[in-house]
Amino acid sequence: MIEFSDVSKIYSNGVVAISDVSLRIEKGEFVFLIGPSGAGKTTLLKMVFCDETPTTGNVFVDGRNISKLRRSEIPYLRRNVGVVFQDFKLLDDRDIFENVGFALKVMGFAPQLIANQVNHVLEQVGLSTKKRMFPSQLSGGEKQRVCIARAIVNNPAILVTDEPTGNLDPYISWEIMKTIIDINNKGTTVIFATHNKDLVDRMRKRVLVLRDGRLTKDEPRGTFDFEENVL
């Protein structure tokens, strides 16, 4: 499903964000990505949805080498990858229904199909009664649920999340986590970058640790620990 083969990413200013990383994530896996700030987590995630390409090595997403995709092919790859970031980036002048359905509308889906899909995912994230509210009327946890709904409205095979619980209290963080677990249980591959020790230790899923751009740990039932079992 996702494979990094001897991947390095060096930016034009000389910063080495990723250094010689090789890993494979299978279809339907749930993977935590952890490490100190500046370790390269966001760069790695951006490669999965083709927002960055490697300087050396190869990244394969669903069998396609992202470095060899034509520019016209990138939107089709991204349709298969849902993305959730810590900053919500919701459209303040549109209600929740319109925020979630916006990408489908841009892609030219029929109005009835958009309505069916949006209503389904809002039910899935527990916001069906708030679809005509605006972002300013929602709590932080509710806004993050909207972001998740927006990310999965097109039934992507992969869900990439970068600190989705970073600004939320522990109870709301766990509620968001349960929503993502449910999505994963339905077959979606999840990569979840986080600094939330409690979530990682509680879940005991596969844990990848990045430090200074290098993959230093890969454990099938890992905990939030940067130091031990260095590869």
Side-chain angles (χ1 to χ4, degrees), residues 42-68:
T42 298
T43 297
L44 188 149
L45 294 180
K46 285 183 174 182
M47 289 186 191
V48 174
F49 59 93
C50 212
D51 199 40
E52 295 284 1
T53 54
T55 305
T56 59
N58 295 291
V59 177
F60 297 90
V61 179
D62 201 19
R64 291 174 288 184
N65 189 332
I66 68 167
S67 296
K68 296 182 178 180

PDB file of all heavy atoms in Angstrom, residues 42-68:
ATOM      1  N   THR A  42       6.228  15.541   9.370  1.00  0.00           N
ATOM      2  CA  THR A  42       5.337  16.192   8.415  1.00  0.00           C
ATOM      3  C   THR A  42       5.835  16.000   6.988  1.00  0.00           C
ATOM      4  O   THR A  42       5.042  15.779   6.067  1.00  0.00           O
ATOM      5  CB  THR A  42       5.196  17.689   8.740  1.00  0.00           C
ATOM      6  OG1 THR A  42       4.602  17.830  10.040  1.00  0.00           O
ATOM      7  CG2 THR A  42       4.319  18.393   7.727  1.00  0.00           C
ATOM      8  N   THR A  43       7.137  16.064   6.784  1.00  0.00           N
ATOM      9  CA  THR A  43       7.688  15.830   5.445  1.00  0.00           C
ATOM     10  C   THR A  43       7.351  14.427   4.963  1.00  0.00           C
ATOM     11  O   THR A  43       6.954  14.231   3.802  1.00  0.00           O
ATOM     12  CB  THR A  43       9.210  16.031   5.446  1.00  0.00           C
ATOM     13  OG1 THR A  43       9.510  17.387   5.789  1.00  0.00           O
ATOM     14  CG2 THR A  43       9.803  15.713   4.082  1.00  0.00           C
ATOM     15  N   LEU A  44       7.499  13.449   5.837  1.00  0.00           N
ATOM     16  CA  LEU A  44       7.166  12.074   5.456  1.00  0.00           C
ATOM     17  C   LEU A  44       5.695  11.965   5.063  1.00  0.00           C
ATOM     18  O   LEU A  44       5.352  11.358   4.041  1.00  0.00           O
ATOM     19  CB  LEU A  44       7.502  11.116   6.599  1.00  0.00           C
ATOM     20  CG  LEU A  44       7.386   9.621   6.308  1.00  0.00           C
ATOM     21  CD1 LEU A  44       8.405   8.834   7.136  1.00  0.00           C
ATOM     22  CD2 LEU A  44       5.989   9.084   6.601  1.00  0.00           C
ATOM     23  N   LEU A  45       4.817  12.573   5.865  1.00  0.00           N
ATOM     24  CA  LEU A  45       3.390  12.521   5.554  1.00  0.00           C
ATOM     25  C   LEU A  45       3.098  13.199   4.218  1.00  0.00           C
ATOM     26  O   LEU A  45       2.273  12.708   3.429  1.00  0.00           O
ATOM     27  CB  LEU A  45       2.585  13.200   6.668  1.00  0.00           C
ATOM     28  CG  LEU A  45       2.591  12.529   8.035  1.00  0.00           C
ATOM     29  CD1 LEU A  45       1.736  13.331   9.008  1.00  0.00           C
ATOM     30  CD2 LEU A  45       2.094  11.092   7.967  1.00  0.00           C
ATOM     31  N   LYS A  46       3.746  14.327   3.964  1.00  0.00           N
ATOM     32  CA  LYS A  46       3.496  15.051   2.723  1.00  0.00           C
ATOM     33  C   LYS A  46       3.879  14.226   1.495  1.00  0.00           C
ATOM     34  O   LYS A  46       3.294  14.378   0.419  1.00  0.00           O
ATOM     35  CB  LYS A  46       4.257  16.379   2.721  1.00  0.00           C
ATOM     36  CG  LYS A  46       3.624  17.441   3.609  1.00  0.00           C
ATOM     37  CD  LYS A  46       4.364  18.765   3.517  1.00  0.00           C
ATOM     38  CE  LYS A  46       3.643  19.855   4.284  1.00  0.00           C
ATOM     39  NZ  LYS A  46       4.322  21.168   4.179  1.00  0.00           N
ATOM     40  N   MET A  47       4.849  13.348   1.650  1.00  0.00           N
ATOM     41  CA  MET A  47       5.212  12.484   0.536  1.00  0.00           C
ATOM     42  C   MET A  47       4.102  11.488   0.223  1.00  0.00           C
ATOM     43  O   MET A  47       3.898  11.120  -0.937  1.00  0.00           O
ATOM     44  CB  MET A  47       6.513  11.747   0.839  1.00  0.00           C
ATOM     45  CG  MET A  47       7.739  12.630   0.836  1.00  0.00           C
ATOM     46  SD  MET A  47       9.253  11.667   1.025  1.00  0.00           S
ATOM     47  CE  MET A  47      10.439  12.975   1.310  1.00  0.00           C
ATOM     48  N   VAL A  48       3.360  11.075   1.238  1.00  0.00           N
ATOM     49  CA  VAL A  48       2.296  10.099   1.018  1.00  0.00           C
ATOM     50  C   VAL A  48       1.207  10.679   0.121  1.00  0.00           C
ATOM     51  O   VAL A  48       0.624   9.969  -0.707  1.00  0.00           O
ATOM     52  CB  VAL A  48       1.713   9.603   2.355  1.00  0.00           C
ATOM     53  CG1 VAL A  48       0.516   8.691   2.125  1.00  0.00           C
ATOM     54  CG2 VAL A  48       2.780   8.883   3.177  1.00  0.00           C
ATOM     55  N   PHE A  49       0.905  11.991   0.274  1.00  0.00           N
ATOM     56  CA  PHE A  49      -0.112  12.571  -0.600  1.00  0.00           C
ATOM     57  C   PHE A  49       0.511  13.487  -1.664  1.00  0.00           C
ATOM     58  O   PHE A  49      -0.141  14.350  -2.232  1.00  0.00           O
ATOM     59  CB  PHE A  49      -1.226  13.278   0.181  1.00  0.00           C
ATOM     60  CG  PHE A  49      -0.802  14.411   1.070  1.00  0.00           C
ATOM     61  CD1 PHE A  49      -0.799  15.708   0.608  1.00  0.00           C
ATOM     62  CD2 PHE A  49      -0.454  14.169   2.391  1.00  0.00           C
ATOM     63  CE1 PHE A  49      -0.435  16.760   1.440  1.00  0.00           C
ATOM     64  CE2 PHE A  49      -0.092  15.213   3.229  1.00  0.00           C
ATOM     65  CZ  PHE A  49      -0.081  16.515   2.754  1.00  0.00           C
ATOM     66  N   CYS A  50       1.794  13.240  -1.942  1.00  0.00           N
ATOM     67  CA  CYS A  50       2.475  13.846  -3.093  1.00  0.00           C
ATOM     68  C   CYS A  50       2.557  15.368  -2.995  1.00  0.00           C
ATOM     69  O   CYS A  50       2.544  16.067  -4.015  1.00  0.00           O
ATOM     70  CB  CYS A  50       1.770  13.441  -4.385  1.00  0.00           C
ATOM     71  SG  CYS A  50       2.882  13.303  -5.802  1.00  0.00           S
ATOM     72  N   ASP A  51       2.665  15.890  -1.782  1.00  0.00           N
ATOM     73  CA  ASP A  51       2.906  17.310  -1.599  1.00  0.00           C
ATOM     74  C   ASP A  51       4.401  17.594  -1.560  1.00  0.00           C
ATOM     75  O   ASP A  51       4.828  18.735  -1.686  1.00  0.00           O
ATOM     76  CB  ASP A  51       2.236  17.797  -0.313  1.00  0.00           C
ATOM     77  CG  ASP A  51       2.059  19.307  -0.289  1.00  0.00           C
ATOM     78  OD1 ASP A  51       1.707  19.873  -1.339  1.00  0.00           O
ATOM     79  OD2 ASP A  51       2.260  19.921   0.775  1.00  0.00           O
ATOM     80  N   GLU A  52       5.188  16.546  -1.348  1.00  0.00           N
ATOM     81  CA  GLU A  52       6.640  16.589  -1.451  1.00  0.00           C
ATOM     82  C   GLU A  52       7.084  15.332  -2.197  1.00  0.00           C
ATOM     83  O   GLU A  52       6.393  14.306  -2.169  1.00  0.00           O
ATOM     84  CB  GLU A  52       7.312  16.612  -0.069  1.00  0.00           C
ATOM     85  CG  GLU A  52       7.046  17.837   0.766  1.00  0.00           C
ATOM     86  CD  GLU A  52       7.831  19.055   0.321  1.00  0.00           C
ATOM     87  OE1 GLU A  52       8.592  18.951  -0.670  1.00  0.00           O
ATOM     88  OE2 GLU A  52       7.675  20.112   0.956  1.00  0.00           O
ATOM     89  N   THR A  53       8.230  15.406  -2.867  1.00  0.00           N
ATOM     90  CA  THR A  53       8.811  14.239  -3.510  1.00  0.00           C
ATOM     91  C   THR A  53      10.213  14.020  -2.951  1.00  0.00           C
ATOM     92  O   THR A  53      10.862  14.970  -2.496  1.00  0.00           O
ATOM     93  CB  THR A  53       8.888  14.419  -5.030  1.00  0.00           C
ATOM     94  OG1 THR A  53       9.576  15.642  -5.328  1.00  0.00           O
ATOM     95  CG2 THR A  53       7.493  14.463  -5.642  1.00  0.00           C
ATOM     96  N   PRO A  54      10.694  12.789  -2.964  1.00  0.00           N
ATOM     97  CA  PRO A  54      12.018  12.536  -2.391  1.00  0.00           C
ATOM     98  C   PRO A  54      13.137  13.105  -3.244  1.00  0.00           C
ATOM     99  O   PRO A  54      13.011  13.209  -4.469  1.00  0.00           O
ATOM    100  CB  PRO A  54      12.077  10.996  -2.334  1.00  0.00           C
ATOM    101  CG  PRO A  54      11.120  10.532  -3.367  1.00  0.00           C
ATOM    102  CD  PRO A  54      10.028  11.551  -3.413  1.00  0.00           C
ATOM    103  N   THR A  55      14.240  13.472  -2.587  1.00  0.00           N
ATOM    104  CA  THR A  55      15.443  13.868  -3.306  1.00  0.00           C
ATOM    105  C   THR A  55      16.126  12.645  -3.884  1.00  0.00           C
ATOM    106  O   THR A  55      16.588  12.646  -5.031  1.00  0.00           O
ATOM    107  CB  THR A  55      16.401  14.620  -2.364  1.00  0.00           C
ATOM    108  OG1 THR A  55      15.707  15.725  -1.768  1.00  0.00           O
ATOM    109  CG2 THR A  55      17.615  15.142  -3.110  1.00  0.00           C
ATOM    110  N   THR A  56      16.194  11.591  -3.076  1.00  0.00           N
ATOM    111  CA  THR A  56      16.695  10.300  -3.543  1.00  0.00           C
ATOM    112  C   THR A  56      15.784   9.202  -2.998  1.00  0.00           C
ATOM    113  O   THR A  56      15.076   9.392  -2.005  1.00  0.00           O
ATOM    114  CB  THR A  56      18.144  10.033  -3.075  1.00  0.00           C
ATOM    115  OG1 THR A  56      18.185  10.052  -1.640  1.00  0.00           O
ATOM    116  CG2 THR A  56      19.099  11.086  -3.615  1.00  0.00           C
ATOM    117  N   GLY A  57      15.806   8.052  -3.646  1.00  0.00           N
ATOM    118  CA  GLY A  57      14.951   6.952  -3.241  1.00  0.00           C
ATOM    119  C   GLY A  57      13.580   7.039  -3.896  1.00  0.00           C
ATOM    120  O   GLY A  57      13.320   7.921  -4.728  1.00  0.00           O
ATOM    121  N   ASN A  58      12.710   6.122  -3.504  1.00  0.00           N
ATOM    122  CA  ASN A  58      11.391   6.025  -4.128  1.00  0.00           C
ATOM    123  C   ASN A  58      10.301   5.869  -3.076  1.00  0.00           C
ATOM    124  O   ASN A  58      10.480   5.166  -2.071  1.00  0.00           O
ATOM    125  CB  ASN A  58      11.339   4.829  -5.076  1.00  0.00           C
ATOM    126  CG  ASN A  58      12.282   4.972  -6.252  1.00  0.00           C
ATOM    127  OD1 ASN A  58      12.072   5.808  -7.122  1.00  0.00           O
ATOM    128  ND2 ASN A  58      13.342   4.170  -6.269  1.00  0.00           N
ATOM    129  N   VAL A  59       9.176   6.532  -3.335  1.00  0.00           N
ATOM    130  CA  VAL A  59       7.978   6.394  -2.506  1.00  0.00           C
ATOM    131  C   VAL A  59       6.868   5.843  -3.393  1.00  0.00           C
ATOM    132  O   VAL A  59       6.539   6.444  -4.430  1.00  0.00           O
ATOM    133  CB  VAL A  59       7.537   7.732  -1.892  1.00  0.00           C
ATOM    134  CG1 VAL A  59       6.245   7.552  -1.092  1.00  0.00           C
ATOM    135  CG2 VAL A  59       8.637   8.308  -1.000  1.00  0.00           C
ATOM    136  N   PHE A  60       6.301   4.722  -2.987  1.00  0.00           N
ATOM    137  CA  PHE A  60       5.210   4.101  -3.721  1.00  0.00           C
ATOM    138  C   PHE A  60       3.930   4.203  -2.895  1.00  0.00           C
ATOM    139  O   PHE A  60       3.916   3.842  -1.715  1.00  0.00           O
ATOM    140  CB  PHE A  60       5.503   2.629  -4.000  1.00  0.00           C
ATOM    141  CG  PHE A  60       6.716   2.405  -4.871  1.00  0.00           C
ATOM    142  CD1 PHE A  60       7.980   2.249  -4.304  1.00  0.00           C
ATOM    143  CD2 PHE A  60       6.593   2.360  -6.243  1.00  0.00           C
ATOM    144  CE1 PHE A  60       9.098   2.055  -5.104  1.00  0.00           C
ATOM    145  CE2 PHE A  60       7.702   2.161  -7.058  1.00  0.00           C
ATOM    146  CZ  PHE A  60       8.959   2.007  -6.484  1.00  0.00           C
ATOM    147  N   VAL A  61       2.890   4.714  -3.499  1.00  0.00           N
ATOM    148  CA  VAL A  61       1.574   4.796  -2.867  1.00  0.00           C
ATOM    149  C   VAL A  61       0.600   4.054  -3.767  1.00  0.00           C
ATOM    150  O   VAL A  61       0.403   4.442  -4.924  1.00  0.00           O
ATOM    151  CB  VAL A  61       1.127   6.254  -2.662  1.00  0.00           C
ATOM    152  CG1 VAL A  61      -0.260   6.305  -2.018  1.00  0.00           C
ATOM    153  CG2 VAL A  61       2.130   7.006  -1.789  1.00  0.00           C
ATOM    154  N   ASP A  62       0.043   2.986  -3.226  1.00  0.00           N
ATOM    155  CA  ASP A  62      -0.882   2.154  -4.006  1.00  0.00           C
ATOM    156  C   ASP A  62      -0.233   1.703  -5.316  1.00  0.00           C
ATOM    157  O   ASP A  62      -0.867   1.697  -6.375  1.00  0.00           O
ATOM    158  CB  ASP A  62      -2.176   2.922  -4.276  1.00  0.00           C
ATOM    159  CG  ASP A  62      -3.337   1.989  -4.614  1.00  0.00           C
ATOM    160  OD1 ASP A  62      -3.246   0.789  -4.286  1.00  0.00           O
ATOM    161  OD2 ASP A  62      -4.329   2.455  -5.193  1.00  0.00           O
ATOM    162  N   GLY A  63       1.039   1.358  -5.215  1.00  0.00           N
ATOM    163  CA  GLY A  63       1.760   0.822  -6.365  1.00  0.00           C
ATOM    164  C   GLY A  63       2.307   1.849  -7.329  1.00  0.00           C
ATOM    165  O   GLY A  63       2.975   1.498  -8.311  1.00  0.00           O
ATOM    166  N   ARG A  64       2.075   3.141  -7.072  1.00  0.00           N
ATOM    167  CA  ARG A  64       2.533   4.184  -7.984  1.00  0.00           C
ATOM    168  C   ARG A  64       3.703   4.949  -7.378  1.00  0.00           C
ATOM    169  O   ARG A  64       3.646   5.378  -6.227  1.00  0.00           O
ATOM    170  CB  ARG A  64       1.389   5.139  -8.316  1.00  0.00           C
ATOM    171  CG  ARG A  64       0.302   4.507  -9.174  1.00  0.00           C
ATOM    172  CD  ARG A  64      -0.879   5.422  -9.363  1.00  0.00           C
ATOM    173  NE  ARG A  64      -1.658   5.553  -8.140  1.00  0.00           N
ATOM    174  CZ  ARG A  64      -2.786   6.245  -8.052  1.00  0.00           C
ATOM    175  NH1 ARG A  64      -3.237   6.896  -9.105  1.00  0.00           N
ATOM    176  NH2 ARG A  64      -3.442   6.304  -6.917  1.00  0.00           N
ATOM    177  N   ASN A  65       4.745   5.123  -8.159  1.00  0.00           N
ATOM    178  CA  ASN A  65       5.921   5.869  -7.731  1.00  0.00           C
ATOM    179  C   ASN A  65       5.616   7.360  -7.847  1.00  0.00           C
ATOM    180  O   ASN A  65       5.431   7.882  -8.950  1.00  0.00           O
ATOM    181  CB  ASN A  65       7.114   5.498  -8.613  1.00  0.00           C
ATOM    182  CG  ASN A  65       8.425   6.070  -8.104  1.00  0.00           C
ATOM    183  OD1 ASN A  65       8.451   7.104  -7.446  1.00  0.00           O
ATOM    184  ND2 ASN A  65       9.518   5.396  -8.411  1.00  0.00           N
ATOM    185  N   ILE A  66       5.558   8.063  -6.716  1.00  0.00           N
ATOM    186  CA  ILE A  66       5.104   9.450  -6.749  1.00  0.00           C
ATOM    187  C   ILE A  66       6.054  10.357  -7.525  1.00  0.00           C
ATOM    188  O   ILE A  66       5.639  11.391  -8.059  1.00  0.00           O
ATOM    189  CB  ILE A  66       4.865  10.027  -5.335  1.00  0.00           C
ATOM    190  CG1 ILE A  66       6.171  10.185  -4.558  1.00  0.00           C
ATOM    191  CG2 ILE A  66       3.865   9.170  -4.557  1.00  0.00           C
ATOM    192  CD1 ILE A  66       6.016  11.033  -3.315  1.00  0.00           C
ATOM    193  N   SER A  67       7.335   9.989  -7.604  1.00  0.00           N
ATOM    194  CA  SER A  67       8.294  10.821  -8.330  1.00  0.00           C
ATOM    195  C   SER A  67       8.072  10.765  -9.831  1.00  0.00           C
ATOM    196  O   SER A  67       8.534  11.644 -10.565  1.00  0.00           O
ATOM    197  CB  SER A  67       9.728  10.382  -8.008  1.00  0.00           C
ATOM    198  OG  SER A  67      10.015  10.585  -6.640  1.00  0.00           O
ATOM    199  N   LYS A  68       7.394   9.737 -10.292  1.00  0.00           N
ATOM    200  CA  LYS A  68       7.199   9.551 -11.724  1.00  0.00           C
ATOM    201  C   LYS A  68       5.795   9.918 -12.189  1.00  0.00           C
ATOM    202  O   LYS A  68       5.454   9.750 -13.363  1.00  0.00           O
ATOM    203  CB  LYS A  68       7.527   8.111 -12.102  1.00  0.00           C
ATOM    204  CG  LYS A  68       8.991   7.761 -11.866  1.00  0.00           C
ATOM    205  CD  LYS A  68       9.325   6.343 -12.287  1.00  0.00           C
ATOM    206  CE  LYS A  68      10.808   6.060 -12.069  1.00  0.00           C
ATOM    207  NZ  LYS A  68      11.174   4.675 -12.474  1.00  0.00           N
TER     208      LYS A  68
END
